[in-house]
Amino acid sequence: MSKEDVKNVEKKDEFKYFSEQFADLKIIRYKVPGFDELSLSQKKLLYYLYNAAISGRDILWDQNYKHNLLIRKTIETIVKNYTGERASDEWQNFMVYTKRVWFSNGIHHHYSMKKITPSCSKDFFIQLIEATNGFDLQGKFENKYKLGEFLLPIIFDPDVDGKRVCLDHGVDLVQSSACNFYEGVTESEATEFYSFQTSPNPDEPLSFGLNSKLVKDNGEIKELVWKVGGLYSNAIEKIVYWLEKAVTVAESNIQAAAFEKLIKYYKTGDLATFDEYNKLWLKDTDSIVDVINGFIEVYGDPLGKKATFESVVSIRDVEATKRAQLVSENAHWFEWHSPTDKVYKKEEIKGVTAKAINVVMESGDCSPSTPIGINLPNADWMRADYGSKSVTISNIVSAYDEVSKDSGALKEFAWNDDEVQLSKKYGTLASNLHVDLHEIVGHGSGKLKPGVADPGETLKNYASTIEETRADLVALYFAMNPKLVELGLMPSIDVGKTEYNAYFRGGLMTQLVRVELGHNIEESHMRNRQLIAKWVYEKGQANNVIEKKVRDNKTYFVINDYAKCNELVGDLLKEIQRVKSEGDYEAARNLVENYGVKVDQELHAEVLKRWEALNIAPYGGFLNPVLNPVIINDEIVDVKISYPDSFEWQMMHYTEQYSYL
């Protein structure tokens, strides 16, 4: 074989992480290391959990907005059946809109929460309707023209249901939000409804409202529970079908028992059963295959009660897990060396387990946009009494790193080459350690003051931001601690400095590329990052801890004193833990509104201009692998994994194979 032949083989075999880019989004592919080495039983388990994950996809679409499924079916019918010209600019604009809707699981931006409006014209949309057949009229519309007439204002008018989740102070959060968790009720009515709910065991309060829609029917407020025989039954029945198959190939009795409890929860909708499932899931620490499947996170509800559907199917990353386990084994040390008040520290850290994983499938609120770390369960009492599981998602972090290599963003916003070289040397390790400390120590630390209700009750619309702020502050505080060097988690404090550079650069500048000019910050994680960065910057100005510098009409933020910066991080962590522990709503509101929400519009305009020149999409999401069983004589004899490269194909495939609502 010639050198040229070898070169061509290498090119053919090279895995391409980048798929495509449109609007403010890039689509990335990820690999699943170790899949081929799994046993047949483990592969079958992954295949069943993979199907259970996708089966719940439609639920999220409907949770996000009541017309999302109708809109998705309409635009996908156009994509499939449109008989007109597909090379025009108008068609390309329509396809960009379609892909944006697919990416966000609905017509509201996955991060900003604002409605996405098409760049194509209303007239062209009507033309699409006219030149397409096969619409699902759902018995609600006389003909396709009535369907189009109904959808026009919903799709094109930015003021009609313009924001999916509204967290603005001083408005009715429920009525100002387009999410589909409430119908016909006000914020005060919803709050009052749940104030009368009491748990059989006060020490283990149930997460009331987690798995239901609250509606007013003939003047009576009631819950529509998401369960078999209830709301979303068709999709949940399919989830249960695949989970029942998973029981037959579970890796252990504990894992099988957890699956069975999850199945019971889906069948009954009983929240106590969900807690029992979580306890069993926490005990399952030895399985290679793991899954998150259910109504989990409450970021999509302005009141922080109702959870969106999500699923993450994964296998353990054995090597990277060693790092995460080392952090969890020292969780008690971190807790007691935190600057928070002693009265709000946990006397004992129970059941904190940590691992790194490689995801095989993500669905619902974890796809296409995905977290890079997870810590569950969310209930504070369960974390305190039964512990938590923390994961860092190795192959997602790796894929992000691959597509960001030499993007130019670091060089554009870093002050000097020393900062750039430090990031290139330690950036990936610094990021991984931040995720580990955030998920394992941050979310697992601290306790509430006796008698203080769940933060969702006390801190309300600021609860999520305060919790993410707390977890990030824990990670930042210990990033500069010599203990990490002593444990062998990092070679020197330079890793911590690398993380500080990246965090404050991002919190003060680069994350603003995700915000439309003239607007403030809406999303909880973004609010959290700016809150920390602006607070530390402001409090350190007297000592020039973080200096704002301008060179060639470009702004930079440079850390002059890392030790003092770390001290200020500790001061804020102490206050944030107090706010959460005491349920201090006013303090939470002041911190978030004064530091996390408002944007320096002049700086924002500058950042957007500099970023535009780089041609980098600020958001990334992922194509999932496809699992295909090899069947002989009605028996699965193997499961093959493949990696699609078309976002359009994957979205249409999911609709064709997994539409249950």
Side-chain angles (χ1 to χ4, degrees), residues 204 275-283 381-382 386:
E204 298 189 354
D275 288 340
E276 292 169 6
Y277 157 71
N278 279 309
K279 293 174 187 177
L280 288 169
W281 179 73
L282 286 169
K283 290 181 180 179
W381 67 266
M382 189 168 290
Y386 295 92

Side-chain angles (χ1 to χ4, degrees), residues 59 211 224-241 243-244 262-270 295:
I59 295 175
N211 63 336
L224 302 179
V225 179
W226 309 325
K227 65 175 182 176
V228 172
L231 202 58
Y232 303 139
S233 183
N234 287 347
I236 294 173
E237 287 170 31
K238 290 295 184 180
I239 297 172
V240 167
Y241 170 83
L243 289 176
E244 287 175 338
L262 180 58
I263 290 166
K264 182 180 178 182
Y265 165 61
Y266 273 132
K267 288 182 175 180
T268 64
D270 180 59
F295 308 114

Side-chain angles (χ1 to χ4, degrees), residues 135-148:
F135 290 108
D136 181 2
L137 301 179
Q138 301 185 358
K140 298 178 181 179
F141 306 98
E142 293 178 36
N143 51 54
K144 63 183 181 181
Y145 305 107
K146 291 292 185 182
L147 170 65

Side-chain angles (χ1 to χ4, degrees), residues 343-364:
V343 291
Y344 302 133
K345 296 179 190 287
K346 289 179 178 175
E347 291 79 9
E348 180 183 2
I349 305 295
K350 297 180 181 179
V352 175
T353 61
K355 62 182 176 181
I357 63 171
N358 289 313
V359 296
V360 179
M361 174 67 203
E362 297 181 303
S363 179

Side-chain angles (χ1 to χ4, degrees), residues 74-75 77-79 81-92 94 120-135 144-149 151-152 155-156:
T74 301
I75 61 178
T77 300
I78 293 171
V79 171
N81 298 332
Y82 177 57
T83 59
E85 173 62 48
R86 296 188 179 219
S88 68
D89 289 343
E90 285 278 63
W91 173 261
Q92 296 306 317
F94 167 74
C120 66
S121 67
K122 292 181 182 179
D123 289 342
F124 183 72
F125 186 76
I126 294 300
Q127 178 185 321
L128 292 174
I129 296 284
E130 290 174 344
T132 301
N133 292 316
F135 290 108
K144 63 183 181 181
Y145 305 107
K146 291 292 185 182
L147 170 65
E149 187 179 71
L151 289 179
L152 273 181
I155 291 176
F156 283 90

